[in-house]
Every structure is written in structure tokens, then in C-alpha cells.
Amino acid sequence: MDVLTYITENAYILIPALLIIGQIIKNIKVIPDKWIPLILLPFGVVGAMALGGWTFESAIQGVLITGTAVYGNQIVKQLKK
């Protein structure tokens, strides 16, 4: 299953934005790494809703975008090992 088929094209810009925000959060030593995906979720949802309108479908897009960013980051980390 290709998750990118479920994401609208105009929301793709949020993936690198969330990766950058995640890296900034990671550099804050007081926040444990396990909380980064949960912290990124509101950023993804609000970002997608700002791009696509304040609808339930846009909120779902935000969840998918956040999941893609976090999953993509983990794939890169695992492949480096």
C-alpha cells in the first residue's frame, strides 16, 4: 500500500517542514525523543487544515502527513544502521 496516494499534492510541502520541526524539537534536550511524533501531530493537522480548509478531510491529511514524515525519518535511520 502506497500511503502517498492518499495524500493530496498540495500537502506534500508539509513533510519536509515537519522533518525540520522534528529536528528542532530533537535538539531540545528536555523533550524525550518518544514525544516528538505526538508533538508533530498538531503541527501536521493545523498545517494541512491551513492549506486545505478547516474540514475533517484536511485533518486526516494532517495525520497522514505527520505519519509519513515520522515513518520516513525512521526508515532513513534504520537503513543507516
Side-chain angles (χ1 to χ4, degrees):
M1 175 168 62
D2 186 16
V3 72
L4 292 178
T5 59
Y6 297 106
I7 298 173
T8 59
E9 246 181 71
N10 62 343
Y12 286 153
I13 189 65
L14 292 173
I15 295 172
L18 288 173
L19 288 170
I20 292 168
I21 293 169
Q23 192 61 44
I24 291 169
I25 295 170
K26 186 170 182 59
N27 290 332
I28 300 173
K29 300 299 179 197
V30 227
I31 301 174
D33 289 348
K34 69 179 182 179
W35 295 110
I36 294 174
L38 287 176
I39 295 170
L40 287 177
L41 185 59
F43 284 101
V45 170
V46 170
M49 292 178 93
L51 289 173
W54 302 96
T55 64
F56 180 73
E57 288 81 16
S58 292
I60 296 299
Q61 288 294 312
V63 172
L64 291 172
I65 286 291
T66 305
T68 303
V70 171
Y71 180 65
N73 185 333
Q74 287 302 311
I75 287 176
V76 170
K77 283 183 181 180
Q78 294 300 320
L79 289 176
K80 286 183 179 179
K81 285 186 177 182

